[in-house]
Amino acid sequence: MKSRIFVLFLFIILGISNVIADSIYSNYTKWEVDSKGKKKGKSEYFEFDKYGNTIKRIQYLSNNTQLTDSFSYVIIEGKLIEKLNFHNNSLFCRKVYKYNTFGKIESITDFDKNSIRENFEKHSYIGFSEIIENFTEKMDLYSIDTLVYNEKNLLISHTQYLSDGDWFTRHNYEYNDKNNLIKSQSEANPEFDGIGIVEYFYEINIEGKPTKEIVKFPDGMIEYYIYEYSKI
């Protein structure tokens, strides 16, 4: 269970990046800066194909090393069927997608590099909500995600529950009148070493892309980031 909890905890870090990345179709580098905008070091790099799919992500670590993930996709009749994740140029895992009769995702199966099933997601929909049941390789339920969308199909909240019913993480998202993400909040349950609510604020340019990000932590610490774009 500890490994499952660790995987879930990563969503606090990765969840915001994914919301941002999915809305951007230009390659970009995210820099950490000081309060005056002076660069301190690279944080992340995202690269996209012409359809807006992420094909490369580089994470720059504090020990002067980096982690590189690249992705390839199998798309049939406009639907994503398979996604392959390569970690430092070696196949790491792959996801296989299945859809219901309405064209919505019905299930996602995760396989390791040896094609052994690791996780299985079952998706269901009620109104503006999406329910994701997460199962282990032995099909034991270990968590449930509840995603709520607004009338514009923008994600406004995401709560993760463990199989015993305890909530694990909570995320909330706010948008401007042009549907650009301008604020988000993430929180982990204090029972699982959560530190409180972490807030993210974004400045958006005329193209609808974030240019600055401010992250505020419960202890008063503040981090600053900027985004630099290049064309695909």
Side-chain angles (χ1 to χ4, degrees):
M1 176 60 77
K2 287 186 178 179
S3 62
R4 300 290 176 188
I5 289 177
F6 176 73
V7 170
L8 289 174
F9 183 74
L10 288 179
F11 280 107
I12 285 193
I13 301 172
L14 299 179
I16 303 300
S17 295
N18 291 334
V19 170
I20 290 293
D22 289 344
S23 66
I24 296 173
Y25 299 102
S26 297
N27 303 337
Y28 72 86
T29 300
K30 180 178 174 181
W31 291 82
E32 184 175 4
V33 299
D34 62 20
S35 59
K36 296 182 179 180
K38 183 179 179 180
K39 291 179 178 178
K40 298 171 64 176
K42 291 181 180 179
S43 175
E44 292 179 300
Y45 170 78
F46 277 89
E47 187 174 320
F48 305 87
D49 63 19
K50 63 181 180 180
Y51 303 106
N53 298 311
T54 301
I55 57 175
K56 181 181 286 188
R57 180 188 186 220
I58 301 175
Q59 301 175 72
Y60 299 93
L61 308 180
S62 57
N63 57 359
N64 293 321
T65 61
Q66 61 187 48
L67 299 178
T68 301
D69 288 285
S70 56
F71 308 90
S72 63
Y73 304 85
V74 176
I75 299 176
I76 300 177
E77 296 181 350
K79 291 181 180 179
L80 175 61
I81 303 299
E82 187 174 21
K83 177 180 178 180
L84 288 84
N85 182 355
F86 298 86
H87 184 63
N88 291 333
N89 297 319
S90 297
L91 180 63
F92 180 68
C93 63
R94 62 187 180 94
K95 293 179 179 287
V96 176
Y97 299 77
K98 291 187 177 181
Y99 298 82
N100 61 23
T101 55
F102 301 101
K104 293 185 175 183
I105 292 176
E106 183 176 66
S107 68
I108 302 176
T109 306
D110 291 330
F111 297 92
D112 68 12
K113 62 182 180 180
N114 298 313
S115 294
I116 297 175
R117 185 176 66 190
E118 290 189 315
N119 295 284
F120 176 80
E121 298 179 11
K122 179 182 177 182
H123 293 238
S124 58
Y125 305 87
I126 303 174
F128 290 109
S129 298
E130 179 179 5
I131 310 299
I132 304 175
E133 297 174 278
N134 301 288
F135 297 86
T136 68
E137 68 278 1
K138 295 182 179 180
M139 295 304 291
D140 295 320
L141 180 67
Y142 70 88
S143 70
I144 299 174
D145 291 26
T146 300
L147 289 73
V148 180
Y149 300 84
N150 64 15
E151 66 280 358
K152 297 180 181 179
N153 202 35
L154 297 173
L155 180 64
I156 57 175
S157 72
H158 179 182
T159 304
Q160 298 171 319
Y161 300 90
L162 299 180
S163 58
D164 60 7
D166 289 337
W167 72 272
F168 185 70
T169 64
R170 295 191 291 219
H171 312 273
N172 294 290
Y173 306 95
E174 297 180 16
Y175 304 84
N176 61 17
D177 57 2
K178 295 183 179 180
N179 302 331
N180 304 126
L181 180 68
I182 57 173
K183 179 182 178 182
S184 60
Q185 295 179 321
S186 292
E187 179 183 15
N189 193 322
E191 293 187 8
F192 303 102
D193 297 325
I195 61 174
I197 297 175
V198 180
E199 296 183 297
Y200 303 77
F201 301 87
Y202 303 94
E203 290 187 16
I204 309 298
N205 64 16
I206 59 175
E207 297 178 343
K209 300 173 182 177
T211 56
K212 296 181 181 180
E213 176 183 341
I214 298 175
V215 184
K216 295 184 177 181
F217 296 89
D219 62 1
M221 186 176 74
I222 301 177
E223 293 180 352
Y224 303 86
Y225 298 90
I226 60 172
Y227 295 75
E228 291 185 347
Y229 297 90
S230 57
K231 294 182 179 180
I232 296 177

